[in-house]
Coordinates of all heavy atoms in Angstrom, one line a residue:
V1 N -3.0 -21.3 -10.4 CA -1.8 -21.7 -11.2 C -0.6 -22.0 -10.3 O 0.5 -21.9 -10.8 CB -1.5 -20.6 -12.3 CG1 -0.6 -21.1 -13.3 CG2 -2.8 -20.0 -12.9
A2 N -0.9 -22.3 -9.1 CA 0.2 -22.5 -8.1 C 1.1 -23.7 -8.4 O 2.2 -23.8 -7.9 CB -0.3 -22.5 -6.7
N3 N 0.6 -24.6 -9.2 CA 1.3 -25.8 -9.5 C 2.2 -25.7 -10.7 O 2.9 -26.6 -11.1 CB 0.4 -27.0 -9.7 CG -0.6 -26.8 -10.8 OD1 -0.8 -25.7 -11.3 ND2 -1.2 -27.9 -11.3
L4 N 2.3 -24.5 -11.4 CA 3.1 -24.3 -12.5 C 4.5 -23.8 -12.1 O 4.6 -23.0 -11.1 CB 2.5 -23.3 -13.5 CG 1.3 -23.8 -14.3 CD1 0.7 -22.6 -15.1 CD2 1.6 -25.0 -15.1
P5 N 5.6 -24.2 -12.8 CA 6.9 -23.6 -12.5 C 6.8 -22.1 -12.7 O 6.2 -21.6 -13.6 CB 7.8 -24.3 -13.5 CG 7.1 -25.5 -14.0 CD 5.6 -25.2 -13.9
T6 N 7.5 -21.4 -11.8 CA 7.5 -19.9 -11.9 C 8.9 -19.3 -11.9 O 9.7 -19.7 -11.1 CB 6.7 -19.3 -10.7 OG1 5.4 -19.9 -10.7 CG2 6.6 -17.8 -10.8
I7 N 9.1 -18.4 -12.9 CA 10.3 -17.6 -13.0 C 9.9 -16.1 -12.9 O 9.0 -15.7 -13.6 CB 11.1 -17.9 -14.3 CG1 11.5 -19.3 -14.5 CG2 12.3 -17.0 -14.4 CD1 11.9 -19.7 -15.8
I8 N 10.6 -15.4 -12.1 CA 10.4 -13.9 -12.0 C 11.8 -13.3 -12.4 O 12.8 -13.6 -11.7 CB 9.9 -13.5 -10.6 CG1 8.6 -14.2 -10.3 CG2 9.8 -12.0 -10.6 CD1 8.2 -14.1 -8.9
A9 N 11.8 -12.5 -13.4 CA 13.1 -12.0 -13.9 C 13.0 -10.6 -14.3 O 11.9 -10.2 -14.8 CB 13.6 -12.9 -15.0
G10 N 14.1 -9.8 -14.2 CA 14.1 -8.5 -14.7 C 14.9 -7.5 -13.8 O 15.6 -7.9 -12.9
D11 N 14.7 -6.2 -14.1 CA 15.3 -5.2 -13.4 C 14.5 -4.9 -12.1 O 13.4 -4.3 -12.2 CB 15.4 -3.9 -14.2 CG 15.9 -2.7 -13.5 OD1 16.3 -2.8 -12.4 OD2 15.8 -1.6 -14.1
F12 N 15.0 -5.3 -11.0 CA 14.3 -5.1 -9.7 C 14.6 -3.8 -9.1 O 14.1 -3.3 -8.1 CB 14.7 -6.2 -8.7 CG 14.1 -7.5 -8.9 CD1 13.8 -8.0 -10.2 CD2 13.8 -8.4 -7.9 CE1 13.2 -9.3 -10.4 CE2 13.2 -9.6 -8.1 CZ 12.9 -10.1 -9.3
N13 N 15.6 -3.1 -9.6 CA 16.1 -1.8 -9.1 C 16.6 -1.9 -7.6 O 16.4 -1.0 -6.8 CB 15.1 -0.7 -9.2 CG 15.3 0.1 -10.5 OD1 16.4 0.1 -11.1 ND2 14.3 0.8 -10.9
E14 N 17.1 -3.1 -7.3 CA 17.6 -3.3 -5.9 C 18.6 -4.5 -6.0 O 18.6 -5.3 -6.9 CB 16.5 -3.6 -5.0 CG 15.8 -4.9 -5.3 CD 14.7 -5.2 -4.2 OE1 14.1 -4.2 -3.7 OE2 14.4 -6.3 -4.0
G15 N 19.5 -4.5 -5.0 CA 20.5 -5.5 -4.9 C 19.9 -6.9 -4.4 O 18.7 -7.0 -4.1
A16 N 20.8 -7.8 -4.1 CA 20.4 -9.1 -3.7 C 19.8 -9.2 -2.3 O 19.0 -10.1 -2.0 CB 21.6 -10.1 -3.7
S17 N 20.0 -8.2 -1.5 CA 19.3 -8.1 -0.2 C 18.2 -7.1 -0.1 O 17.7 -6.8 1.0 CB 20.4 -7.8 0.9 OG 20.9 -6.5 0.6
G18 N 17.7 -6.7 -1.3 CA 16.6 -5.8 -1.3 C 15.2 -6.4 -0.9 O 15.1 -7.6 -0.7
R19 N 14.2 -5.6 -0.8 CA 12.9 -6.0 -0.3 C 12.2 -7.0 -1.2 O 11.7 -8.0 -0.7 CB 12.1 -4.8 0.0 CG 12.5 -4.0 1.1 CD 11.8 -2.7 1.3 NE 10.4 -3.0 1.8 CZ 9.4 -2.1 1.9 NH1 9.6 -0.9 1.5 NH2 8.2 -2.5 2.3
A20 N 12.3 -6.8 -2.5 CA 11.6 -7.7 -3.4 C 12.3 -9.1 -3.4 O 11.6 -10.1 -3.3 CB 11.5 -7.2 -4.8
V21 N 13.6 -9.1 -3.5 CA 14.3 -10.4 -3.5 C 14.1 -11.1 -2.2 O 13.8 -12.3 -2.1 CB 15.8 -10.2 -3.8 CG1 16.6 -11.5 -3.7 CG2 16.0 -9.5 -5.2
T22 N 14.2 -10.4 -1.1 CA 14.0 -11.0 0.3 C 12.5 -11.5 0.4 O 12.3 -12.6 0.9 CB 14.2 -9.9 1.4 OG1 15.6 -9.5 1.3 CG2 14.0 -10.5 2.8
F23 N 11.6 -10.8 -0.1 CA 10.2 -11.2 -0.1 C 10.0 -12.5 -0.8 O 9.4 -13.5 -0.3 CB 9.3 -10.1 -0.7 CG 7.9 -10.5 -0.9 CD1 6.9 -10.3 0.1 CD2 7.4 -11.1 -2.1 CE1 5.6 -10.6 0.0 CE2 6.1 -11.4 -2.3 CZ 5.2 -11.2 -1.2
L24 N 10.6 -12.6 -2.0 CA 10.5 -13.9 -2.8 C 11.3 -15.0 -2.1 O 10.8 -16.1 -2.1 CB 11.1 -13.6 -4.2 CG 10.2 -12.7 -5.0 CD1 10.9 -12.2 -6.3 CD2 8.9 -13.3 -5.4
Q25 N 12.5 -14.7 -1.6 CA 13.2 -15.8 -0.9 C 12.4 -16.3 0.3 O 12.5 -17.6 0.6 CB 14.6 -15.3 -0.5 CG 15.5 -15.1 -1.6 CD 16.8 -14.4 -1.3 OE1 16.9 -13.7 -0.3 NE2 17.8 -14.7 -2.1
Q26 N 11.7 -15.5 1.0 CA 10.9 -15.9 2.1 C 9.8 -16.9 1.7 O 9.2 -17.6 2.5 CB 10.4 -14.7 2.9 CG 11.4 -14.0 3.7 CD 10.9 -12.7 4.2 OE1 9.9 -12.1 3.8 NE2 11.7 -12.1 5.1
R27 N 9.5 -16.8 0.4 CA 8.4 -17.7 -0.1 C 9.0 -18.8 -0.9 O 8.3 -19.5 -1.7 CB 7.5 -16.8 -0.9 CG 6.5 -16.0 -0.1 CD 6.1 -14.7 -0.6 NE 5.3 -14.0 0.4 CZ 5.8 -13.3 1.4 NH1 7.1 -13.2 1.6 NH2 5.0 -12.6 2.2
G28 N 10.2 -19.1 -0.7 CA 10.8 -20.3 -1.3 C 11.5 -20.1 -2.7 O 12.0 -21.1 -3.2
F29 N 11.5 -18.9 -3.2 CA 12.2 -18.7 -4.4 C 13.7 -18.6 -4.2 O 14.2 -18.2 -3.1 CB 11.7 -17.4 -5.1 CG 10.4 -17.5 -5.7 CD1 9.2 -17.4 -4.9 CD2 10.2 -17.8 -7.1 CE1 8.0 -17.5 -5.5 CE2 9.0 -17.9 -7.6 CZ 7.8 -17.7 -6.9
R30 N 14.5 -18.9 -5.2 CA 16.0 -18.8 -5.2 C 16.4 -17.9 -6.3 O 15.8 -17.9 -7.4 CB 16.6 -20.2 -5.3 CG 16.2 -21.0 -4.0 CD 17.0 -22.2 -3.8 NE 18.4 -21.8 -3.6 CZ 19.4 -22.6 -3.8 NH1 19.3 -23.8 -4.2 NH2 20.7 -22.2 -3.6
S31 N 17.5 -17.3 -6.2 CA 18.1 -16.4 -7.2 C 19.2 -17.2 -8.0 O 20.1 -17.8 -7.4 CB 18.8 -15.2 -6.6 OG 19.3 -14.3 -7.5
A32 N 19.1 -17.3 -9.3 CA 19.9 -18.1 -10.1 C 21.3 -17.5 -10.3 O 22.3 -18.3 -10.2 CB 19.3 -18.4 -11.5
L33 N 21.4 -16.3 -10.5 CA 22.7 -15.7 -10.9 C 23.8 -15.9 -9.8 O 24.9 -16.3 -10.2 CB 22.5 -14.2 -11.1 CG 23.7 -13.5 -11.9 CD1 24.0 -14.2 -13.2 CD2 23.3 -12.0 -12.1
P34 N 23.6 -15.7 -8.5 CA 24.7 -15.9 -7.6 C 25.2 -17.3 -7.5 O 26.3 -17.5 -7.1 CB 24.0 -15.5 -6.2 CG 22.9 -14.6 -6.6 CD 22.4 -15.1 -7.9
Q35 N 24.4 -18.3 -7.9 CA 24.8 -19.7 -7.8 C 25.9 -20.0 -8.8 O 26.7 -20.9 -8.6 CB 23.6 -20.6 -8.0 CG 22.6 -20.5 -6.9 CD 21.4 -21.4 -7.2 OE1 21.5 -22.6 -7.4 NE2 20.2 -20.8 -7.3
F36 N 26.0 -19.2 -9.9 CA 26.9 -19.5 -11.0 C 27.9 -18.4 -11.2 O 29.0 -18.6 -11.6 CB 26.2 -19.7 -12.3 CG 25.3 -20.9 -12.3 CD1 24.0 -20.9 -11.9 CD2 25.9 -22.2 -12.6 CE1 23.2 -22.0 -11.9 CE2 25.1 -23.3 -12.6 CZ 23.8 -23.2 -12.2
S37 N 27.5 -17.1 -10.9 CA 28.4 -16.0 -11.2 C 28.7 -15.2 -10.0 O 29.4 -14.1 -10.1 CB 27.6 -15.1 -12.2 OG 27.4 -15.8 -13.4
G38 N 28.3 -15.5 -8.8 CA 28.6 -14.7 -7.6 C 27.8 -13.4 -7.7 O 26.8 -13.3 -8.4
A39 N 28.4 -12.4 -7.2 CA 27.8 -11.1 -7.1 C 28.3 -10.2 -8.3 O 29.1 -9.3 -8.1 CB 28.1 -10.4 -5.8
Q40 N 27.9 -10.6 -9.5 CA 28.3 -9.8 -10.7 C 27.4 -8.6 -10.9 O 26.2 -8.6 -10.7 CB 28.3 -10.7 -11.9 CG 29.4 -11.7 -12.0 CD 29.6 -12.2 -13.4 OE1 29.1 -11.6 -14.4 NE2 30.2 -13.4 -13.5
D41 N 28.0 -7.5 -11.4 CA 27.3 -6.3 -11.7 C 26.5 -6.6 -13.0 O 26.9 -7.1 -13.9 CB 28.2 -5.2 -12.0 CG 29.1 -4.9 -10.7 OD1 28.6 -5.1 -9.6 OD2 30.2 -4.4 -10.9
T42 N 25.2 -6.1 -12.9 CA 24.3 -6.2 -14.1 C 24.0 -4.8 -14.6 O 23.3 -4.6 -15.6 CB 23.0 -6.9 -13.8 OG1 22.3 -6.2 -12.8 CG2 23.3 -8.3 -13.3
W43 N 24.4 -3.7 -13.9 CA 24.1 -2.4 -14.2 C 25.3 -1.5 -14.0 O 26.1 -1.7 -13.1 CB 23.0 -1.9 -13.4 CG 22.6 -0.4 -13.4 CD1 21.8 0.2 -14.4 CD2 23.1 0.6 -12.6 NE1 21.7 1.5 -14.1 CE2 22.5 1.8 -13.0 CE3 23.9 0.7 -11.5 CZ2 22.7 3.0 -12.4 CZ3 24.1 1.9 -10.9 CH2 23.5 3.0 -11.3
R44 N 25.5 -0.5 -14.9 CA 26.6 0.5 -14.7 C 26.1 1.8 -15.2 O 25.3 2.0 -16.1 CB 27.9 0.0 -15.3 CG 28.0 0.3 -16.8 CD 27.4 -0.9 -17.5 NE 27.7 -0.9 -19.0 CZ 27.0 -1.4 -19.9 NH1 25.8 -1.9 -19.5 NH2 27.3 -1.4 -21.1
W45 N 26.7 2.9 -14.5 CA 26.4 4.3 -14.9 C 27.6 5.1 -14.7 O 28.2 5.2 -13.7 CB 25.2 4.8 -14.0 CG 24.7 6.1 -14.6 CD1 25.0 7.3 -14.1 CD2 23.8 6.2 -15.6 NE1 24.3 8.3 -14.8 CE2 23.5 7.6 -15.8 CE3 23.1 5.4 -16.5 CZ2 22.7 8.1 -16.7 CZ3 22.3 5.9 -17.5 CH2 22.1 7.2 -17.6
K46 N 28.0 5.8 -15.8 CA 29.2 6.6 -15.8 C 28.8 8.0 -15.2 O 27.8 8.6 -15.6 CB 29.8 6.8 -17.2 CG 30.4 5.6 -17.7 CD 31.1 5.8 -19.1 CE 31.7 4.5 -19.5 NZ 32.4 4.6 -20.8
T47 N 29.7 8.4 -14.2 CA 29.5 9.7 -13.6 C 30.8 10.5 -13.8 O 31.8 10.0 -14.3 CB 29.2 9.6 -12.1 OG1 30.3 9.2 -11.4 CG2 28.0 8.7 -11.9
S48 N 30.8 11.7 -13.4 CA 32.0 12.6 -13.5 C 33.1 12.1 -12.6 O 34.3 12.4 -12.8 CB 31.7 14.0 -13.2 OG 31.2 14.1 -11.9
V49 N 32.8 11.3 -11.6 CA 33.8 10.8 -10.6 C 34.1 9.3 -10.8 O 34.9 8.7 -10.1 CB 33.5 11.1 -9.2 CG1 33.5 12.5 -8.9 CG2 32.1 10.4 -8.8
G50 N 33.6 8.7 -11.8 CA 33.8 7.3 -12.1 C 32.5 6.5 -12.4 O 31.4 7.1 -12.5
T51 N 32.6 5.2 -12.6 CA 31.5 4.4 -13.0 C 30.9 3.7 -11.7 O 31.6 3.1 -11.0 CB 31.8 3.4 -14.0 OG1 32.4 4.1 -15.2 CG2 30.6 2.5 -14.5
V52 N 29.6 3.9 -11.6 CA 28.9 3.2 -10.5 C 28.4 1.8 -11.0 O 27.9 1.8 -12.1 CB 27.7 4.0 -10.0 CG1 26.9 3.3 -8.9 CG2 28.1 5.4 -9.6
R53 N 28.6 0.8 -10.3 CA 28.2 -0.6 -10.7 C 27.5 -1.3 -9.6 O 27.9 -1.2 -8.4 CB 29.4 -1.4 -11.1 CG 30.2 -0.9 -12.3 CD 31.5 -1.7 -12.5 NE 32.1 -1.6 -13.8 CZ 32.9 -0.6 -14.2 NH1 33.1 0.4 -13.3 NH2 33.4 -0.5 -15.4
T54 N 26.5 -2.1 -9.9 CA 25.9 -3.0 -8.9 C 25.0 -4.0 -9.7 O 24.9 -4.0 -10.9 CB 25.0 -2.1 -7.9 OG1 24.7 -3.0 -6.8 CG2 23.8 -1.6 -8.6
Q55 N 24.5 -4.9 -8.9 CA 23.6 -5.9 -9.5 C 22.1 -5.6 -9.2 O 21.7 -5.6 -8.0 CB 23.9 -7.3 -8.9 CG 23.0 -8.4 -9.5 CD 23.3 -9.8 -8.9 OE1 24.2 -10.0 -8.2 NE2 22.4 -10.7 -9.2
L56 N 21.4 -5.1 -10.2 CA 20.0 -4.7 -10.0 C 19.1 -5.7 -10.7 O 17.9 -5.6 -10.5 CB 19.8 -3.3 -10.6 CG 20.6 -2.2 -10.0 CD1 20.2 -0.9 -10.7 CD2 20.3 -2.1 -8.5
D57 N 19.6 -6.6 -11.6 CA 18.8 -7.5 -12.4 C 18.9 -8.9 -11.8 O 20.0 -9.3 -11.3 CB 19.3 -7.5 -13.8 CG 19.2 -6.1 -14.4 OD1 18.2 -5.7 -14.9 OD2 20.2 -5.4 -14.3
H58 N 17.7 -9.6 -11.7 CA 17.7 -10.9 -11.0 C 16.8 -11.9 -11.8 O 15.9 -11.5 -12.6 CB 17.1 -10.7 -9.7 CG 17.8 -9.7 -8.8 ND1 18.9 -10.0 -8.1 CD2 17.5 -8.4 -8.6 CE1 19.3 -8.9 -7.5 NE2 18.5 -7.9 -7.8
V59 N 17.1 -13.1 -11.7 CA 16.3 -14.2 -12.2 C 16.1 -15.1 -11.0 O 17.0 -15.8 -10.4 CB 17.0 -15.0 -13.3 CG1 16.2 -16.2 -13.7 CG2 17.4 -14.1 -14.5
V60 N 14.8 -15.1 -10.5 CA 14.5 -16.0 -9.4 C 13.5 -17.0 -9.8 O 12.7 -16.8 -10.7 CB 13.9 -15.2 -8.2 CG1 15.0 -14.2 -7.6 CG2 12.7 -14.4 -8.5
Y61 N 13.5 -18.2 -9.2 CA 12.7 -19.3 -9.6 C 12.2 -20.1 -8.4 O 12.8 -20.0 -7.3 CB 13.5 -20.2 -10.5 CG 14.8 -20.8 -9.8 CD1 14.7 -22.1 -9.2 CD2 16.0 -20.1 -9.8 CE1 15.8 -22.6 -8.6 CE2 17.0 -20.6 -9.1 CZ 17.0 -21.8 -8.5 OH 18.0 -22.3 -7.8
D62 N 11.2 -20.9 -8.6 CA 10.6 -21.7 -7.5 C 11.2 -23.1 -7.5 O 12.1 -23.4 -8.3 CB 9.1 -21.7 -7.6 CG 8.5 -22.5 -8.8 OD1 9.3 -23.1 -9.5 OD2 7.3 -22.4 -9.0
D63 N 10.7 -23.9 -6.5 CA 11.3 -25.2 -6.3 C 10.9 -26.3 -7.3 O 11.3 -27.4 -7.2 CB 10.9 -25.7 -4.9 CG 9.4 -25.9 -4.7 OD1 8.6 -25.5 -5.6 OD2 9.0 -26.3 -3.6
K64 N 10.1 -25.9 -8.3 CA 9.8 -26.8 -9.4 C 10.8 -26.8 -10.5 O 10.8 -27.6 -11.5 CB 8.4 -26.5 -10.0 CG 7.3 -26.7 -9.0 CD 6.0 -26.1 -9.5 CE 4.9 -26.1 -8.4 NZ 5.2 -25.2 -7.3
L65 N 11.8 -25.9 -10.4 CA 12.8 -25.7 -11.4 C 14.2 -25.8 -10.8 O 14.4 -25.7 -9.6 CB 12.7 -24.3 -12.1 CG 11.4 -24.0 -12.8 CD1 11.3 -22.6 -13.1 CD2 11.4 -24.8 -14.1
E66 N 15.2 -26.1 -11.6 CA 16.6 -26.1 -11.1 C 17.4 -25.4 -12.2 O 17.2 -25.6 -13.4 CB 17.1 -27.5 -10.8 CG 17.2 -28.4 -12.0 CD 17.8 -29.8 -11.6 OE1 18.8 -29.8 -10.8 OE2 17.2 -30.8 -12.0
P67 N 18.3 -24.6 -11.8 CA 19.2 -23.8 -12.8 C 20.2 -24.7 -13.4 O 20.8 -25.5 -12.7 CB 19.7 -22.7 -12.0 CG 19.8 -23.2 -10.6 CD 18.6 -24.2 -10.4
V68 N 20.5 -24.5 -14.6 CA 21.6 -25.2 -15.3 C 22.8 -24.3 -15.5 O 23.9 -24.7 -15.3 CB 21.1 -25.7 -16.7 CG1 22.3 -26.3 -17.5 CG2 20.0 -26.7 -16.6
S69 N 22.5 -23.0 -15.7 CA 23.5 -22.0 -15.8 C 22.8 -20.6 -15.7 O 21.6 -20.5 -15.9 CB 24.2 -22.1 -17.2 OG 23.3 -21.8 -18.3
A70 N 23.7 -19.6 -15.4 CA 23.2 -18.3 -15.3 C 24.5 -17.4 -15.4 O 25.5 -17.7 -14.7 CB 22.5 -18.0 -14.0
R71 N 24.4 -16.3 -16.2 CA 25.5 -15.4 -16.3 C 25.1 -14.1 -16.8 O 24.0 -13.9 -17.4 CB 26.6 -16.0 -17.2 CG 26.1 -16.1 -18.7 CD 27.2 -16.9 -19.5 NE 26.8 -16.9 -20.9 CZ 27.2 -16.1 -21.9 NH1 28.1 -15.2 -21.6 NH2 26.8 -16.2 -23.1
V72 N 26.0 -13.1 -16.6 CA 25.8 -11.7 -17.1 C 26.5 -11.7 -18.4 O 27.6 -12.2 -18.6 CB 26.4 -10.7 -16.1 CG1 26.3 -9.3 -16.7 CG2 25.8 -10.8 -14.8
V73 N 25.8 -11.2 -19.4 CA 26.4 -11.1 -20.8 C 26.8 -9.6 -21.0 O 26.0 -8.7 -21.1 CB 25.4 -11.5 -21.9 CG1 26.0 -11.4 -23.3 CG2 24.8 -12.9 -21.6
R74 N 28.1 -9.4 -21.0 CA 28.6 -8.0 -21.1 C 28.6 -7.5 -22.5 O 29.7 -7.3 -23.1 CB 30.0 -7.9 -20.4 CG 30.0 -8.4 -19.0 CD 31.2 -8.0 -18.2 NE 31.0 -8.3 -16.8 CZ 30.3 -7.6 -15.9 NH1 29.7 -6.5 -16.2 NH2 30.2 -8.0 -14.7
L75 N 27.4 -7.2 -23.0 CA 27.2 -6.7 -24.3 C 26.1 -5.7 -24.3 O 25.3 -5.6 -23.4 CB 26.8 -7.8 -25.3 CG 27.8 -9.0 -25.5 CD1 27.2 -10.1 -26.3 CD2 29.1 -8.4 -26.2
G76 N 26.1 -4.9 -25.4 CA 25.0 -4.0 -25.6 C 25.3 -2.6 -25.1 O 26.3 -2.3 -24.5
R77 N 24.4 -1.7 -25.5 CA 24.5 -0.2 -25.2 C 23.7 0.2 -24.0 O 23.8 1.4 -23.6 CB 24.2 0.6 -26.4 CG 25.1 0.4 -27.5 CD 24.8 1.2 -28.7 NE 25.9 1.3 -29.6 CZ 26.2 2.3 -30.4 NH1 25.4 3.3 -30.4 NH2 27.2 2.3 -31.2
S78 N 22.8 -0.6 -23.5 CA 22.0 -0.2 -22.4 C 22.8 -0.1 -21.1 O 24.0 -0.6 -21.0 CB 20.9 -1.3 -22.1 OG 20.2 -1.1 -20.9
D79 N 22.3 0.6 -20.1 CA 23.0 0.7 -18.8 C 22.9 -0.6 -18.1 O 23.6 -0.9 -17.1 CB 22.5 1.9 -18.0 CG 21.0 1.8 -17.8 OD1 20.3 1.3 -18.6 OD2 20.6 2.4 -16.7
H80 N 22.0 -1.5 -18.5 CA 21.9 -2.9 -18.0 C 22.5 -3.9 -18.9 O 22.2 -3.8 -20.1 CB 20.4 -3.2 -17.7 CG 19.8 -2.4 -16.7 ND1 19.7 -2.9 -15.4 CD2 19.2 -1.2 -16.7 CE1 19.1 -1.9 -14.6 NE2 18.8 -0.9 -15.4
Y81 N 23.3 -4.8 -18.4 CA 23.7 -5.9 -19.2 C 22.6 -7.0 -19.2 O 21.9 -7.2 -18.2 CB 25.0 -6.6 -18.5 CG 26.2 -5.7 -18.6 CD1 26.9 -5.4 -17.4 CD2 26.8 -5.3 -19.8 CE1 28.0 -4.6 -17.4 CE2 27.9 -4.6 -19.8 CZ 28.6 -4.2 -18.6 OH 29.7 -3.5 -18.6
P82 N 22.5 -7.7 -20.3 CA 21.6 -8.9 -20.3 C 22.0 -9.9 -19.3 O 23.2 -10.1 -19.1 CB 21.7 -9.4 -21.7 CG 22.3 -8.3 -22.5 CD 23.2 -7.5 -21.6
V83 N 21.1 -10.6 -18.7 CA 21.3 -11.8 -17.9 C 20.7 -13.0 -18.6 O 19.5 -13.0 -19.0 CB 20.7 -11.6 -16.5 CG1 20.9 -12.8 -15.6 CG2 21.3 -10.4 -15.8
R84 N 21.5 -14.0 -18.7 CA 21.0 -15.3 -19.4 C 21.0 -16.4 -18.4 O 22.0 -16.7 -17.7 CB 21.9 -15.6 -20.5 CG 21.4 -16.8 -21.3 CD 22.3 -17.1 -22.5 NE 21.7 -18.1 -23.3 CZ 22.0 -19.4 -23.3 NH1 22.9 -19.8 -22.4 NH2 21.4 -20.3 -24.1
A85 N 19.8 -17.0 -18.2 CA 19.7 -18.1 -17.3 C 19.0 -19.3 -18.0 O 18.1 -19.0 -18.7 CB 18.9 -17.7 -16.0
V86 N 19.5 -20.5 -17.7 CA 18.9 -21.7 -18.3 C 18.4 -22.5 -17.1 O 19.2 -22.8 -16.2 CB 19.9 -22.5 -19.1 CG1 19.2 -23.8 -19.6 CG2 20.4 -21.7 -20.3
L87 N 17.1 -22.8 -17.1 CA 16.5 -23.6 -16.0 C 15.8 -24.7 -16.6 O 15.3 -24.7 -17.8 CB 15.5 -22.7 -15.2 CG 16.2 -21.5 -14.5 CD1 15.9 -20.2 -15.2 CD2 15.8 -21.5 -13.0
Q88 N 15.7 -25.8 -15.8 CA 14.9 -27.0 -16.3 C 14.0 -27.5 -15.2 O 14.2 -27.2 -14.0 CB 15.9 -28.1 -16.7 CG 16.8 -28.6 -15.6 CD 17.8 -29.6 -16.1 OE1 18.1 -29.7 -17.3 NE2 18.3 -30.4 -15.2
P89 N 13.0 -28.3 -15.6 CA 12.1 -28.8 -14.6 C 12.9 -29.8 -13.7 O 13.8 -30.5 -14.2 CB 11.1 -29.6 -15.4 CG 11.2 -29.1 -16.8 CD 12.6 -28.6 -17.0
K90 N 12.5 -29.9 -12.4 CA 13.2 -30.9 -11.5 C 12.7 -32.3 -11.9 O 11.6 -32.5 -12.4 CB 12.8 -30.6 -10.1 CG 13.7 -29.5 -9.5 CD 13.5 -29.5 -8.0 CE 14.5 -28.6 -7.4 NZ 14.3 -28.4 -6.0

């Protein structure tokens, strides 16, 4: 199924330079969110000394697709914000 467009998305539990994202980038995948939103936080956790924030959620795609938009949606009660990405065939 190597000729089908591929999207890998979800909570990677790591930042943009983590092992999984790096592994995928080395194989030609690109991350959609930084192209439109920069390094936005997708996760937050309140602690007694403040809120910890980082980007743990990613949408990566192969060269058969191109992103139209990608953004973090700051809604919901989860510790993770939803990420919305629109991709189209090249």
Side-chain angles (χ1 to χ4, degrees):
V1 196
N3 60 342
L4 292 176
T6 303
I7 300 169
I8 302 170
D11 174 7
F12 285 32
N13 267 340
E14 65 180 30
S17 60
R19 290 175 68 188
V21 175
T22 300
F23 175 86
L24 292 168
Q25 288 174 335
Q26 290 170 344
R27 282 147 184 82
F29 285 83
R30 297 197 59 202
S31 183
L33 194 55
Q35 295 179 57
F36 295 91
S37 300
Q40 284 196 22
D41 301 329
T42 63
W43 172 85
R44 80 272 194 210
W45 191 260
K46 290 184 181 184
T47 71
S48 60
V49 294
T51 302
V52 179
R53 295 174 164 82
T54 193
Q55 182 181 351
L56 298 179
D57 304 273
H58 305 276
V59 177
V60 297
Y61 61 94
D62 68 8
D63 62 356
K64 295 170 190 67
L65 297 166
E66 65 180 312
V68 175
S69 66
R71 67 186 183 99
V72 177
V73 181
R74 300 199 176 276
L75 296 172
R77 294 180 164 214
S78 172
D79 56 330
H80 292 263
Y81 292 121
V83 175
R84 182 174 190 269
V86 177
L87 297 106
Q88 65 186 16
K90 276 192 173 175

